[in-house]
Amino acid sequence: MSRKAYGATAVALAVAVALAGAAPAQAAPSTAGTPGLGDPYFPLAGNGGYDVRHYSLGLDYVRAGNRLRATAVILATATQDLSRFDLDLRGFTVTSLTVNFAPALFRRDGQELIVTPRHPLRAGRPFVVRVRYTGQPTEIIDPDGSSDGWVPTADGAFVVNEPQGSPGWYPANDNPRDKATFDFAVTVPQGITAIGNGRLVSRTTHRGKTTWRWYEDSPMAPYLATVTNGVFQLRIGHAGRIPLYHAVDPLEVPKGGFDRLAAEPEIIQFFARLYGPYPFSSGGGIVDHAPEVGYALESQTRSQYDQTPDASTVVHEISHQWFGDSVSLTVWPDIWLNEGFATWSEWIYAERHGGVTAQQAFDEAYARPATDPFWARPPANLGGAEFLFTDPAYERGAMTLQALRAKVGDAAFFAILRRWCAHYRNGNVTTARFIALAETVSGRQLDAFFDVWLYRVGKPTTW
């Protein structure tokens, strides 16, 4: 089925048609969707009992006072009979909520927005939820002390959600395994640019306000959504037929913001040759002046930088479009499947562009003495959410891949990566699945190898 851009009205009509054609519903058993999906690090992230197919977000934001007025329309399918279900949402005043166009009861419990529809939902049937809400978006402080969610800047907001910021600005099934398509209509004061995921559908100005409409046609994990906004210069280029949207804060233009983003077409083409076709229908980057953030993030189709990045950071974030965005983790303890792969991508990019080889990068990291704390946390056994974005996930994850390359040879190794990207495109993965694929493609038994590199504490000495 071809995908078409559609907003809240079209979503509602689609569900109305589906519901009208359905057989009359009988009373469903009293069953409630779970308030979380049991992630080891964020057990209440996400909700059970349904699968979101599409989010349509209408957002009206004014930086003065940090005020957001919004409507979220969520198209979902029940995966069990439901008398009640949850959405994740932090803060805000919910002014109305309907399920299948009928007012529904709701209550709040922490991040849980607990919804009781007028009529029970039947397994396998589509349903539509409309939530109207208003207030100040919530900036989330993560276990490592960093901020995510809707982070206010001097002229707007830097909107980055990894790992748990999405419910700070829209109601979501906030778990990477529930991917959906998105459309955004972001209304901001005239002169402010709002950058969403996917393709720019339109921008219209009326009575001192501009509405920016974006559509992301590939399934996306909720944490990868963005509507970063502020004063930007926007340029649209291409990588082949793929449109690239480059937005740079005027404060970062003299620092080379556009020059850094100009490398994107070549980087995309390089990784497409290495890993397989670029997985999305658009690309681009945002360079904001946001010193209060302190990191970059690979929002889907739109990598985001809190300042003008160095060249290797751009390479890292673009490689995430394959590893992390298209092929996404299932649970957060497997973060090395995102960050280790992106760090190794930096290494192979340098190797193929006249820099140090990936093996030299490995050797430099391996030279650390066995007493170095670097060896205390294995990539797939970090020990807690506060360690998600530390060296073991990044550099030790990359070392695992380079050690695998040396063990099975280039032909098998690059075949593993290409098959990984092709087979799990737009899907979710686990470390166990990567191990199984590596063994299948290489024809070798690798349990001991991966145990040493991914799970054991201490510096590997034999593998």
Side-chain angles (χ1 to χ4, degrees), residues 78-116:
T79 57
Q80 65 178 65
D81 290 339
L82 285 173
S83 59
R84 190 181 75 215
F85 63 92
D86 288 19
L87 292 165
D88 298 308
L89 181 67
R90 296 186 178 93
F92 295 107
T93 297
V94 176
T95 56
S96 71
L97 194 154
T98 63
V99 178
N100 293 338
F101 320 109
L105 298 176
F106 62 90
R107 60 185 177 88
R108 310 295 296 273
D109 182 8
Q111 74 178 45
E112 302 299 316
L113 175 58
I114 303 166
V115 180
T116 303

Side-chain angles (χ1 to χ4, degrees), residues 344-367:
W344 187 84
S345 293
E346 291 182 61
W347 293 2
I348 192 63
Y349 186 86
E351 176 180 312
R352 300 288 176 86
H353 288 77
V356 300
T357 67
Q359 187 60 45
Q360 288 171 324
F362 174 98
D363 292 342
E364 181 179 352
Y366 190 77

Side-chain angles (χ1 to χ4, degrees), residues 182-196:
F182 281 71
D183 71 74
F184 310 88
V186 191
T187 300
V188 288
Q190 187 174 355
I192 298 298
T193 300
I195 308 294

